């Protein structure tokens, strides 16, 4: 594909990234990323850094997307696999991390991923790419104010410039999804978009369709809202309720456990902050320090159930964060399809520690995430309230993003708008497709 007026859309997601190219005809193509098996149109937003000795000199080599995971899984010893980088953007305290003794800013790390996305797109397009329309959430993960969002956005822009782009135009991710949905429409509709990703849940109320296209863009958008809570936050609850207890979060010190007159407030064997870090993929790698190792060694010596703390030590020492993430994802995905699912994390057993296995029902999971579902509901209701739109006025709801597969998330919309008005689709690619169409709108013919 080679055309001077091709418009580029890039969706740099918390979990997955996609790139789409739109031709002046409106035809959109997704860029494919090679994997060891079949190519994929959504590339994992991960970075793997490893140290290599070459010609007597030590170099740090980086891999992104599917190749990052492949290198990470086969490497021995393993380097650092960094996930959910987009979630760092609004934080003024987490400005970067040290890897192999070298300091990297968040922008540096993200730019590695973006620069590979650009190279893949250039390969598909057979020409250099200097400009792209890029997605942004309504609210970044962890952002508490408009200033935090502006700060996150300026860092994201810096990462794109660092990755070789000359300029970028930002568009809200749910608006991009609206453009993708609109491309399938032959009539006018007032739609509510719900884009549920790994980090954020975003909503937009937009007029779409043939006659709406003639109205200036700003007038078509009735309102947007969003919150920094989505699939990663659901995963954190699975860790809290299922994984952490198996690794000792609810076990106590032996001296108290054996005492006949147990005090009312028993002392937990290991500190709570360690388990809090287990819940967030992007903090997990911070646990592999000498300080944490010492704390856990002494916790194991004092613990009522030392085997659980020993399993936690193995998890951290063997760097099994990615495998844990996969096991949690598998459970969540299975629960989207079935009423019950089996959680298995065999790698701990393989590493000589105990296995974690448990059957989980969908209703258990829904109980674990109940307050998060409530926050999502409030966010949708607030958008309707502030725009003065009654649910009956909304013609269609379009749900997209990986977390829209969760039945409890879909139910929020089915109960307000009736199942017949809810559409779903292109969960991992609609935002990139819409960004390319948005880019096309501003490309001179
Ligand atoms: N079948 C499924 N059931 C439940 N969750 C799923 C399913 N498939 C994917 N997910 C979740 O969807 C999320 C990824 O979705 P997506 O790729 O849309 O996010 P993203 O665009 O990377 O993130 P964001 O838009 O928040 O920056 C992950 O949390 C993943 O676990
Ligand atoms: Mg997304």
């Amino acid at each position: 594909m080679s055309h001077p007026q091709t418009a580029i859309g890039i969706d740099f997601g918390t979990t997955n990234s996609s790139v789409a190219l739109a031709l002046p005809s409106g035809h959109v193509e997704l860029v494919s990323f090679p994997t060891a098996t079949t190519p994929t149109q959504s590339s994992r937003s991960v970075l793997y850094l490893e140290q290599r000795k070459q010609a007597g000199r030590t170099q740090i080599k980086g891999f992104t997307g599917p190749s990052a995971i492949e290198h990470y899984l086969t490497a021995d010893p393993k380097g650092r696999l960094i996930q959910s980088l987009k979630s760092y953007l609004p934080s003024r305290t987490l400005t970067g991390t040290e890897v192999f003794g070298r300091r990297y800013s968040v922008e540096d790390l993200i730019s590695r991923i973006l620069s590979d996305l650009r190279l893949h797109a250039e390969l598909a397009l057979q020409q250099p790419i200097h400009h792209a329309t890029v997605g942004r959430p309504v609210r970044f993960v962890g952002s508490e104010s408009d200033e935090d969002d502006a700060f996150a956005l300026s860092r994201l822009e810096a990462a794109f410039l660092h990755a070789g782009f000359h300029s970028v135009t930002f568009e809200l991710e749910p608006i991009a999804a609206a453009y993708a949905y609109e491309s399938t429409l032959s009539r006018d509709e007032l739609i509510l978009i719900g884009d549920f990703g790994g980090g954020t849940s975003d909503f937009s109320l937009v007029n779409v369709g043939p006659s709406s296209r003639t109205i200036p863009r700003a007038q078509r958008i009735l309102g947007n809202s969003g919150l920094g809570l989505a699939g990663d936050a659901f995963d954190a609850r699975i860790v809290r309720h299922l994984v952490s207890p198996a690794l000792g979060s609810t076990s106590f010190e032996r001296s108290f456990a054996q005492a006949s007159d147990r005090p009312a407030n028993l002392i937990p064997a290991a500190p709570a902050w360690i388990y809090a870090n287990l819940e967030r993929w992007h903090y997990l790698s911070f646990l592999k320090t000498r300080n944490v190792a010492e704390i856990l060694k002494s916790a194991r010596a004092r613990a009522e159930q030392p085997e659980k703390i020993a399993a936690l030590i193995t998890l951290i020492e063997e760097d099994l964060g990615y495998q844990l993430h996969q096991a949690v994802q598998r459970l969540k995905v299975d629960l989207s399809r079935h009423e019950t699912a089996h959680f298995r994390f065999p790698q701990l057993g393989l590493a000589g520690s105990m296995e974690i296995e448990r059957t989980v029902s969908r209703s258990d999971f829904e109980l674990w995430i109940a307050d998060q579902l409530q926050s999502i509901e409030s966010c949708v209701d607030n958008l309707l309230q502030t725009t003065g739109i009654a649910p009956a006025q909304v013609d269609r709801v379009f749900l997209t993003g990986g977390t829209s597969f969760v039945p409890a998330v879909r139910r929020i919309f089915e109960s307000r708008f009736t199942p017949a008005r809810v559409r779903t689709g292109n969960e991992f690619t609609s935002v990139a497709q819409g960004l390319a169409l948005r880019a096309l709108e501003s490309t001179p013919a």
Side-chain angles (χ1 to χ4, degrees), residues 11-17 42-43 45 86 137 141 173 195-202 229-235 281 325 328-330 332-337 365 400-407 427-429 431:
D11 174 20
F12 168 61
T14 311
T15 315
N16 298 300
S17 296
S42 88
S43 168
S45 310
K86 191 176 172 186
V141 176
E173 287 158 14
D195 175 21
F196 295 92
T200 54
S201 301
D202 293 301
L229 177 166
D232 279 354
F234 291 176
D235 295 345
W281 310 120
H325 185 238
V328 167
Q329 298 277 305
R330 251 192 320 272
K332 195 174 61 170
V333 168
D334 287 350
L335 285 173
S336 292
R337 251 181 283 143
F365 173 57
T400 194
T403 299
S404 70
F405 281 115
V406 174
E427 280 78 5
F428 300 104
T429 52
V431 171

Side-chain angles (χ1 to χ4, degrees), residues 200-221:
T200 54
S201 301
D202 293 301
F203 310 99
S204 291
L205 266 168
V206 202
N207 280 305
V208 290
S211 50
S212 299
R213 268 185 219 134
T214 59
I215 306 170
R217 177 183 164 281
Q219 288 171 29
R220 298 169 62 186
I221 303 172

Side-chain angles (χ1 to χ4, degrees), residues 307-380:
E307 70 286 357
K308 291 188 173 177
I309 309 291
L312 175 60
I313 294 172
T314 306
L315 172 85
I316 295 169
E317 266 179 8
E318 300 288 321
D319 234 338
L320 295 174
Y322 176 74
Q323 287 82 351
L324 173 62
H325 185 238
Q326 289 297 95
V328 167
Q329 298 277 305
R330 251 192 320 272
L331 176 76
K332 195 174 61 170
V333 168
D334 287 350
L335 285 173
S336 292
R337 251 181 283 143
H338 309 286
E339 286 294 333
T340 59
H342 198 63
F343 177 83
R344 270 198 79 214
F345 182 32
Q347 288 83 0
L348 268 182
L350 291 173
S353 200
M354 57 178 209
E355 275 203 19
I356 306 178
E357 268 200 86
R358 189 178 147 185
T359 299
V360 179
S361 69
R362 189 185 283 168
S363 55
D364 285 337
F365 173 57
E366 290 180 358
L367 217 58
W368 297 344
I369 61 168
D371 60 322
Q372 298 176 331
L373 292 169
Q374 183 68 53
S375 302
I376 293 173
E377 289 189 47
S378 305
C379 192
V380 175

